[in-house]
Amino acid sequence: MALKPGKLIAVIGDEDTCIGFLLGGIGEVNKSRATNFMVVDKNTSIAEIEDTFRGFLKRNDIGIVLINQNVAEMIRHIIDSHVLPIPAVLEIPSKDCPYDPSKDSVLRRAKGMYTGDDFK
Amino acid sequence: MSGMMDAVCEQLDDTVLQMFQVLEDIYDQQDKLEQAMKDGFLAMSRARYLLGVKWVSVDQILDADFSSKYRTLTDTSLADEVSTLEAVESSLKTSEIDKLSLFELSQDTTDVRSDQKVEQAEIKKTDADKQTSLRKRHTDNSGPDKNKTKEDIDETNESKKNTTISKNSKKHDDDDEENPPKKESSSNSLSLFGILTPQPLRTSQKHFEGGVSIAVSLADLKLKLSLLQCRYKRLSEQKLSLLSDEQ
C-alpha cells in the first residue's frame, strides 16, 4: 500500500479538548500563522465555528478534523453536507458531554440505509 | 442471469457483514477514545491543581510557535482530494476495503530535524566567524580594537557566553548549540506549559497521544463504513436492475 505523506489533524473544541490534543502533539502553527485548532467557548459565535470548519475543509494540509460533538451539533448542517473522503470529520466527546452515537453524522447515514424492502 | 443475480446477492451479503463488523469496531474504538480522553482530562485537572489554572490554559498556546509531532498518512487511493466516495469505492476491489488502511499515524520529526540542521549550520558559521574575530581581537589590542576590549574582558570572564558585537540572536544560538537537548524539547508540546512540568501533565500527554492514535483508527473505520455504504448502494441498484430485466 502506497501512502501519501503527512497531513495534519485539526481540532475544534472546548479549551480542555484543544489543550489535551495539543499536548498530544497535533498542534501546528504554519508560516502564515494559521493554526490547525480552534478553541470554542461560550462567547464563540456559530458563524465563527462555521468559517473555521469550512477553512479546515478547504486546506489541503489537513487530513482529519476532530470536533467535539456538542460543537458539531451547532454546525450539523455543514457536517452533513460534507461527503468528501478527505478531510475526514470525526466527532469526539468533550469533558462535559459524552459521545452519543445517535447524533454522529456518519453513523446516522449508516442507520438510515436499511428499509424493510431491502430484505425482500 | 440467475448466476449474475446470485453473485450480486453474495456480494451484498458480504458487504452487509463487513459493515456490521466495522460498526462493532467503531463502537469499540469510540469507547476507548472516550476513556483515554477522560483519563487525560483528569490528569490535566491534577496538573492545574499543582501549577495553577493560568499555567494550564489556552493562554499558553495561543501565541506560541509549535509544530505537530504527529501527522496522518493517507492511502493513494484517496490521492485526489476532490474524489467522491463513489469514485474511490468503484476503484477498489471487493475484498480490498476490508483490508485497506486508509489513514495511518506517523510521527513527524523531519521538519524539526531539517530546521535544527539549518540552525546548527548557521550557528557553526557564526561560531567560525566569532572565533576568527576573537583571535583577531586577542592578537591585535591596539588601534580600532580598543573599543572592543571591554567586551573582550566580559567574554573572558563569562564562561561559555559569547557576546555581543553580533546580534542577540546569535547569542541565543550559541547557548542552544551548547545545550542541544533544549532545542529538541522545544518541539515537545509540554514545553508550552513551562520547563519543569509536573508528572500529571506528562500523564495527560500520554493519554492524549493514545487518543490521537485511536482517533486516526476511528477516522479510518468511519471512512471504510462510508465506502461500504456506497458499495451497498451500488449493488442494490444493480440487483434492482437485474430484477426488472427478469420481469
Side-chain angles (χ1 to χ4, degrees):
Chain A
M1 182 185 64
L3 295 170
K4 278 194 79 180
K7 290 181 184 276
L8 295 169
I9 303 170
V11 59
I12 301 175
D14 57 16
E15 183 179 344
D16 285 356
T17 302
C18 288
I19 290 173
F21 279 104
L22 260 61
L23 262 178
I26 65 169
E28 174 137 327
V29 181
N30 64 14
K31 289 173 187 175
S32 52
R33 305 293 301 169
T35 59
N36 65 332
F37 61 92
M38 180 192 183
V39 180
V40 175
D41 55 24
K42 56 185 177 181
N43 299 323
T44 310
S45 67
I46 294 177
E48 284 173 332
I49 301 170
E50 287 178 0
D51 289 342
T52 305
F53 183 73
R54 285 197 181 106
F56 286 162
L57 294 184
K58 280 181 189 168
R59 280 172 64 169
N60 56 6
D61 61 344
I62 289 178
I64 298 175
V65 179
L66 305 178
I67 182 168
N68 281 144
Q69 197 168 50
N70 56 331
V71 175
E73 279 295 301
M74 295 187 219
I75 57 168
R76 183 58 69 193
H77 55 290
I78 300 178
I79 293 176
D80 283 344
S81 63
H82 172 68
V83 292
L84 295 174
I86 287 183
V89 178
L90 191 63
E91 294 178 33
I92 58 174
S94 67
K95 196 175 172 182
D96 305 320
C97 301
Y99 176 75
D100 184 356
S102 64
K103 294 181 185 174
D104 191 310
S105 291
V106 175
L107 297 181
R108 275 201 307 200
R109 271 183 226 142
K111 191 180 169 187
M113 268 185 59
Y114 302 107
T115 62
D117 293 334
D118 290 338
F119 298 108
K120 283 183 185 170
Chain B
M1 188 66 89
S2 64
M4 274 182 67
M5 179 62 89
D6 289 341
V8 169
C9 290
E10 200 176 321
Q11 285 179 22
L12 270 169
D13 291 340
D14 284 341
T15 306
V16 169
L17 287 172
Q18 283 181 29
M19 282 179 68
F20 282 123
Q21 182 60 48
V22 167
L23 271 169
E24 195 179 328
D25 292 340
I26 285 174
Y27 287 129
D28 187 40
Q29 291 292 314
Q30 285 286 168
D31 289 339
K32 284 182 185 172
L33 177 64
E34 193 156 1
Q35 190 56 46
M37 288 179 69
K38 267 188 196 169
D39 295 338
F41 289 140
L42 187 61
M44 199 190 298
S45 302
R46 288 196 186 116
R48 269 205 187 106
Y49 178 76
L50 290 169
L51 285 173
V53 176
K54 278 188 208 173
W55 289 103
V56 187
S57 71
V58 172
D59 299 332
Q60 308 303 318
I61 59 176
L62 280 178
D63 292 325
D65 281 324
F66 43 85
S67 61
S68 67
K69 186 178 166 187
Y70 293 107
R71 285 173 179 256
T72 58
L73 301 173
T74 54
D75 189 71
T76 48
S77 57
L78 301 170
D80 186 0
E81 283 84 356
V82 187
S83 295
T84 58
L85 281 169
E86 288 81 10
V88 174
E89 186 273 322
S90 57
S91 67
L92 296 170
K93 292 180 188 169
T94 313
S95 57
E96 273 181 356
I97 293 177
D98 192 35
K99 295 167 192 170
L100 207 57
S101 183
L102 297 157
F103 282 110
E104 273 189 23
L105 191 66
S106 79
Q107 195 160 350
D108 183 23
T109 55
T110 51
D111 289 342
V112 173
R113 280 184 197 156
S114 63
D115 288 345
Q116 283 182 347
K117 277 182 188 171
V118 165
E119 287 170 0
Q120 284 172 3
E122 287 174 357
I123 287 159
K124 281 178 186 172
K125 280 182 190 173
T126 57
D127 267 352
D129 292 339
K130 281 197 173 175
Q131 284 172 3
T132 53
S133 62
L134 276 171
R135 282 185 200 136
K136 281 179 186 172
R137 284 200 294 275
H138 281 308
T139 54
D140 186 10
N141 290 326
S142 60
D145 292 333
K146 277 184 183 175
N147 292 328
K148 297 180 185 176
T149 51
K150 283 185 184 175
E151 290 167 356
D152 290 338
I153 291 166
D154 289 336
E155 283 169 2
T156 54
N157 287 336
E158 294 171 359
S159 61
K160 295 185 181 181
K161 280 189 183 179
N162 297 314
T163 56
T164 161
I165 295 167
S166 56
K167 296 173 186 175
N168 287 331
S169 59
K170 286 185 183 177
K171 179 182 173 181
H172 291 304
D173 290 341
D174 290 332
D175 288 337
D176 286 337
E177 195 209 3
E178 289 155 3
N179 300 312
K182 281 184 188 174
K183 235 186 222 178
E184 289 172 4
S185 66
S186 67
S187 65
N188 184 355
S189 43
L190 268 180
S191 61
L192 295 170
F193 302 98
I195 297 170
L196 293 173
T197 50
Q199 188 57 37
L201 200 61
R202 293 170 193 275
T203 310
S204 178
Q205 185 183 44
K206 264 189 192 171
H207 286 303
F208 276 103
E209 281 178 351
V212 167
S213 66
I214 296 170
V216 170
S217 66
L218 256 174
D220 188 48
L221 287 166
K222 284 190 174 175
L223 193 51
K224 273 186 197 171
L225 183 67
S226 302
L227 289 172
L228 286 167
Q229 278 175 256
C230 288
R231 172 151 294 168
Y232 183 86
K233 220 175 176 181
R234 181 175 59 80
L235 290 169
S236 302
E237 285 165 6
Q238 203 175 345
K239 183 182 172 184
L240 282 171
S241 69
L242 285 171
L243 280 170
S244 61
D245 288 343
E246 276 180 6
Q247 288 170 0

